C-alpha cells in the first residue's frame, strides 16, 4: 500500500515579522509564525495508525499520510489556513508517493526538488485592495480597517495585533515561573537600558546539512532527530535566560529586556538589550552544544555524521548592534549576514584542519552600526573596516571576527578574550587609552606610517600594563586588528545616555 509524503515550506517569514518597526507588531508576527508549524497544522494531523509526523519546525513541515484523501485535504486547505492566519506568508507544497520505508529517502529527495520549483513561482496575493486604495504608513499594504485612534490598518497588522499578547514564544523561551503581561516588552523603549543600543541576534546550528544527509532518509530516525533538536534549542534558550537571571541582569518582577522572535529547529532569533547580547549568545551556544550531545549524541555517532567523531552540534551567531530607532528589518538582515560570515570562517578552519566533513567550531560575529546608511555587510567592511596597507592596496584590517567559544587557530580571538580586553579599558587610564586608540584607528585607515608613530608615542606615555593593552589592540600580525571591535563592544557595555 502506498504512503504519501506531504511537505510544506513556509516562505517570507522574516519579511512578515520585520515588515514594521513597531515592536508590538513584530511580537505578534513572531507569535503567529510560532503557531504555523504547531497548532495551525494540528487539524491536518491524523492518528498514528494513519500517518506519521516527520518534522514540524522552523517553517518546515513533513508528514507521511497512509491515506491519499487525508493528504489531499492537507494539500488543498493548509495554504489557505496559513494565509488567513498570517496574511503575507506564503506556503510551497509538494507530495511524493512511496511504498515502504526503504523508499523514504527517494521520496524526501523528490519533495525537496518539487519545493524548489514551487518557490520560484510567484504566489498570488490574498491581501485585499486596489491600486488606488489607501495604504498603511507602517507596511505600505492595503488598509482594510481604521482603529479607535484613526490609524489605518492592513490585514497583516490586524492579525499581528490580535496575537500581540499571547506570550507563547516567551513562555517557550523563558523559565519565568509565572510570566505575566506586565513582564513582556511591547515597546522597544522597554528593552533599552542605560543607553539606546539594542541587539538583533540570529543563531543557527552548524552541520545540519551533513546530519540530514545521514539520517534524513530514515523516517523514524529523522522524526526523532527533528523533535529532539527542537527540544535542545529550547533548553539552550532556557540556559541563556537563567544565566542572565542568576547574574542579576533580569528582574522577573519587571519587564524582561528580551523579545524572542524565532525559536524553532536549530534557529534562534531575539531582540535583546545591547549589553546583554554577547553574554546571552555565549551561554546559548554552550548550552546548545551540551544539549545536543545529551539528546542527539547517539544519533550523531551511530550514523557517523562527522569525520572527527564529534557527538554534538555547534552553532554560529550574528549580532547586529543597532540604535532602538534603526529599522529592525535591516538590523535582522545584518545579523543574518554576520551569522553567515561566521559559518564561512569556521567551515574554512575545519577544512584547513584536514577534512571539510569535520564539525565546525562554534563562534559569533558582531557589528555595531555606526551610521544610518543602510547597506549589506560587505559594503560596510569596504567603507568602515578597510585600511590602506601601505602598498596601494586596501585590506579589511578591522574585520577581526568571528569570536570563538574555545581556542581557535592563530589570529582568531575567543569571546572571553574580547570581554577581557574590554574590561582592561576600565582602568585608571582607560579614557586616555580609548581616546588614543580611536585616534590611531582614524590614522590607520589612511595609512601605516603616521599611525605607527602615534602608536609608539602612546606606548611611551602610558604604564607598562596599558602599553601592553595598546600593543594587543593594535596588533596586525595576522592581517586583522581587534581594536575596532573592542572599542565598539566597550561602548555598548558602558555608555550612559539615558537617565533613569
Amino acid at each position: 500500500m502506498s504512503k504519501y509524503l506531504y511537505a510544506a515550506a513556509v516562505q517570507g517569514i522574516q519579511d512578515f515579522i520585520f515588515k514594521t518597526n513597531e515592536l508590538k507588531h513584530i511580537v505578534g508576527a513572531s507569535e503567529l509564525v510560532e503557531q504555523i508549524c504547531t497548532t495551525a497544522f494540528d487539524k491536518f494531523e491524523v492518528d498514528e495508525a494513519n500517518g506519521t509526523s516527520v518534522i514540524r519546525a522552523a517553517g518546515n513541515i513533513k508528514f507521511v499520510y497512509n491515506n491519499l484523501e487525508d493528504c489531499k485535504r492537507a494539500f488543498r486547505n493548509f495554504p489557505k489556513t496559513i494565509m488567513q492566519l498570517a496574511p503575507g506568508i506564503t506556503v510551497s507544497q509538494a507530495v511524493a508517493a512511496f511504498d515502504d520505508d526503504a523508499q523514504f529517502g527517494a521520496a524526501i529527495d523528490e519533495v525537496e526538488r518539487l519545493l524548489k520549483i514551487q518557490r520560484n513561482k510567484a504566489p498570488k496575493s490574498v491581501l485585499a485592495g486596489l491600486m488606488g486604495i489607501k495604504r498603511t504608513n507602517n507596511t505600505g499594504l492595503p488598509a482594510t480597517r481604521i482603529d479607535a485612534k484613526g490609524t489605518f490598518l492592513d490585514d497583516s497588522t490586524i492579525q499581528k495585533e490580535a496575537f500581540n499578547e499571547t506570550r507563547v514564544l516567551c513562555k517557550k523561551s523563558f523559565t519565568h515561573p509565572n510570566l505575566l503581561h506586565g513582564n513582556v516588552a511591547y515597546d522597544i523603549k522597554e528593552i533599552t537600558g542605560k543607553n539606546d543600543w539594542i541587539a538583533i541576534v540570529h543563531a543557527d546550528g552548524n552541520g545540519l546539512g551533513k546530519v540530514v544527509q545521514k539520517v534524513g532518509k530514515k523516517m523514524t530516525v529523522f522524526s526523532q532527530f527533528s523533535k529532539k533538536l527542537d527540544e535542545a534549542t529550547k533548553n539552550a534558550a532556557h540556559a541563556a535566560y537563567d544565566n542572565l537571571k542568576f547574574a542579576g541582569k533580569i528582574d522577573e518582577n519587571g519587564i524582561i529586556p528580551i523579545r524572542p522572535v524565532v525559536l524553532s529547529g536549530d534557529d534562534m532569533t531575539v531582540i535583546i538589550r545591547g549589553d546583554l547580547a554577547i553574554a546571552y549568545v555565549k551561554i546559548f551556544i554552550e548550552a546548545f552544544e551540551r544539549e545536543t550531545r545529551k539528546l542527539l549524541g547517539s544519533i550523531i555517532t551511530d550514523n557517523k555524521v562527522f569525520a572527527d567523531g564529534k557527538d554534538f552540534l555547534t552553532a554560529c551567531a550574528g549580532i547586529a548592534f543597532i540604535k532602538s530607532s534603526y529599522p529592525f528589518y535591516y538590523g535582522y538582515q545584518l545579523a543574518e549576514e554576520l551569522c553567515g560570515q561566521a559559518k564561512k570562517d569556521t567551515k574554512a578552519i575545519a577544512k584547513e584542519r584536514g577534512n571539510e566533513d569535520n564539525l565546525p567550531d562554534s563562534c559569533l560575529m558582531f557589528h555595531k552600526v555606526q551610521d544610518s546608511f543602510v547597506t549589506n555587510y560587505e559594503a560596510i567592511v569596504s567603507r568602515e573596516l578597510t585600511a590602506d596597507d601601505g602598498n596601494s592596496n586596501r585590506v579589511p584590517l578591522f574585520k577581526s571576527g568571528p569570536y570563538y567559544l574555545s581556542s581557535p587557530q592563530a589570529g582568531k580571538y575567543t569571546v572571553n578574550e574580547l570581554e577581557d580586553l574590554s574590561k582592561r579599558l576600565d582602568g585608571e587610564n582607560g579614557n586616555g587609552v580609548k581616546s588614543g586608540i580611536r585616534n590611531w584607528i582614524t590614522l590607520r585607515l589612511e595609512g601605516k606610517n603616521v599611525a605607527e608613530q602615534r602608536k609608539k608615542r602612546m606606548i611611551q606615555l602610558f604604564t607598562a600594563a596599558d602599553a601592553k593593552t595598546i600593543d594587543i589592540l593594535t596588533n596586525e600580525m595576522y592581517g586583522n586588528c581587534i581594536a575596532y571591535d573592542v572599542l565598539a563592544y566597550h561602548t555598548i557595555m558602558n555608555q550612559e545616555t539615558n537617565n533613569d
Side-chain angles (χ1 to χ4, degrees):
M1 184 179 75
S2 292
K3 298 181 181 181
Y4 305 91
L5 174 61
Y6 169 81
V10 181
Q11 299 164 234
I13 288 178
Q14 304 304 338
D15 184 60
F16 175 73
I17 291 175
F18 291 105
K19 203 173 189 71
T20 173
N21 221 43
E22 291 281 345
L23 182 62
K24 64 180 180 179
H25 294 155
I26 291 172
V27 168
S30 63
E31 296 288 357
L32 280 167
V33 168
E34 175 66 16
Q35 296 193 31
I36 286 175
C37 293
T38 54
T39 56
F41 192 75
D42 283 350
K43 67 173 75 174
F44 302 106
E45 274 210 344
V46 293
D47 57 39
E48 292 184 2
N50 294 302
T52 303
S53 177
V54 180
I55 181 173
R56 287 173 61 179
N60 186 10
I61 297 172
K62 288 184 174 65
F63 197 96
V64 174
Y65 290 99
N66 296 342
N67 184 289
L68 180 58
E69 290 306 312
D70 290 332
C71 184
K72 285 182 176 180
R73 184 172 67 90
F75 195 94
R76 183 171 55 248
N77 297 319
F78 183 60
K80 180 181 178 181
T81 299
I82 295 307
M83 291 178 187
Q84 289 177 335
L85 176 69
I89 290 283
T90 57
V91 180
S92 297
Q93 301 180 106
V95 175
F98 63 103
D99 293 326
D100 53 46
D101 290 352
Q103 297 177 349
F104 179 74
I108 284 284
D109 291 340
E110 178 63 8
V111 294
E112 290 297 342
R113 184 185 71 82
L114 293 172
L115 286 174
K116 287 180 181 179
I117 295 173
Q118 288 298 314
R119 290 189 192 103
N120 290 326
K121 295 181 179 180
K124 294 181 180 179
S125 175
V126 297
L127 296 170
L130 302 172
M131 287 295 290
I133 201 169
K134 171 70 178 177
R135 293 180 177 268
T136 64
N137 293 332
N138 284 338
T139 66
L141 296 174
T144 57
R145 186 182 303 175
I146 304 175
D147 68 10
K149 297 179 180 179
T151 304
F152 287 90
L153 303 175
D154 58 84
D155 286 342
S156 175
T157 301
I158 291 167
Q159 282 295 90
K160 293 172 184 178
E161 290 267 15
F163 283 81
N164 183 39
E165 298 178 11
T166 58
R167 305 193 300 276
V168 172
L169 196 52
C170 283
K171 292 175 182 177
K172 181 179 179 181
S173 302
F174 303 159
T175 58
H176 196 297
N178 185 29
L179 189 70
L180 301 175
H181 168 69
N183 300 128
V184 178
Y186 296 101
D187 188 290
I188 194 61
K189 292 298 182 184
E190 296 172 335
I191 287 182
T192 57
K194 58 189 176 184
N195 56 53
D196 283 329
W197 290 107
I198 63 167
I200 298 181
V201 176
H202 177 68
D204 190 19
N206 293 323
L208 265 294
K210 291 182 174 60
V211 174
V212 172
Q213 287 175 8
K214 297 294 178 70
V215 308
K217 298 181 179 181
K218 304 172 184 178
M219 184 169 67
T220 303
V221 179
F222 189 27
S223 176
Q224 182 185 21
F225 176 85
S226 300
K227 292 173 183 176
K228 289 186 177 295
L229 176 61
D230 196 61
E231 182 182 353
T233 304
K234 181 185 71 173
N235 292 347
H238 288 178
Y241 175 85
D242 284 342
N243 177 69
L244 295 181
K245 178 175 68 176
F246 296 140
K249 303 293 185 180
I250 291 175
D251 177 10
E252 290 194 326
N253 295 317
I255 297 175
I256 297 168
I258 305 170
R259 263 309 329 197
V261 177
V262 174
L263 187 68
S264 184
D266 65 322
D267 289 343
M268 183 274 286
T269 303
V270 298
I271 301 172
I272 186 170
R273 201 174 76 208
D275 62 302
L276 304 179
I278 286 184
Y280 182 90
V281 173
K282 177 185 173 185
I283 298 300
F284 174 86
I285 294 176
E286 289 175 346
F288 183 79
E289 292 184 359
R290 184 172 62 251
E291 291 294 325
T292 53
R293 170 177 277 136
K294 181 171 69 176
L295 297 172
L296 300 170
S298 59
I299 294 177
I300 293 171
T301 53
D302 290 348
N303 290 277
K304 300 178 180 178
V305 172
F306 301 113
D308 50 10
K310 296 288 178 61
D311 63 345
F312 60 94
L313 297 177
T314 56
C316 287
I319 306 173
F321 289 106
I322 61 175
K323 287 294 184 73
S324 59
S325 57
Y326 191 82
F328 286 123
Y329 182 77
Y330 295 112
Y332 172 76
Q333 282 189 321
L334 178 57
E336 193 174 41
E337 282 190 75
L338 290 166
C339 184
Q341 290 280 326
K343 282 178 171 286
K344 183 179 179 180
D345 191 86
T346 192
K347 286 178 182 177
I349 289 178
K351 187 175 182 179
E352 287 174 11
R353 289 174 177 167
N355 195 329
E356 61 183 4
D357 290 327
N358 288 339
L359 176 65
D361 293 328
S362 292
C363 60
L364 63 87
M365 197 158 183
F366 72 89
H367 181 74
K368 173 173 166 267
V369 176
Q370 304 279 24
D371 58 36
S372 59
F373 186 73
V374 177
T375 185
N376 60 38
Y377 182 63
E378 287 304 321
I380 290 173
V381 171
S382 176
R383 191 176 69 253
E384 298 179 24
L385 308 179
T386 300
D388 192 326
D389 72 349
N391 297 307
S392 299
N393 293 318
R394 295 182 63 78
V395 294
L397 179 67
F398 296 108
K399 181 185 173 184
S400 57
Y403 297 90
Y404 286 77
L405 266 67
S406 56
S407 299
Q409 69 176 26
K412 300 293 181 180
Y413 292 90
T414 65
V415 176
N416 287 343
E417 287 171 332
L418 171 71
E419 292 172 336
D420 177 66
L421 286 169
S422 174
K423 289 176 182 176
R424 291 191 188 192
L425 299 180
D426 294 331
E428 182 180 351
N429 298 318
N431 287 336
V433 173
K434 285 183 288 184
S435 178
I437 292 294
R438 288 192 183 96
N439 184 245
W440 176 84
I441 290 174
T442 301
L443 296 171
R444 184 62 189 85
L445 287 169
E446 300 301 324
K448 275 187 175 182
N449 294 336
V450 178
E452 189 64 25
Q453 293 174 16
R454 174 61 179 161
K455 176 180 175 178
K456 290 178 180 178
R457 180 60 178 159
M458 282 193 295
I459 290 175
Q460 291 172 351
L461 290 173
F462 289 103
T463 65
D466 290 331
K468 184 178 180 181
T469 299
I470 292 168
D471 190 55
I472 294 171
L473 293 179
T474 58
N475 191 309
E476 300 182 34
M477 182 182 297
Y478 296 102
N480 56 50
C481 177
I482 197 174
Y484 192 97
D485 277 357
V486 170
L487 288 181
Y489 177 64
H490 191 271
T491 298
I492 290 160
M493 296 299 293
N494 296 282
Q495 186 180 54
E496 295 188 26
T497 57
N498 293 336
N499 296 323
D500 292 337

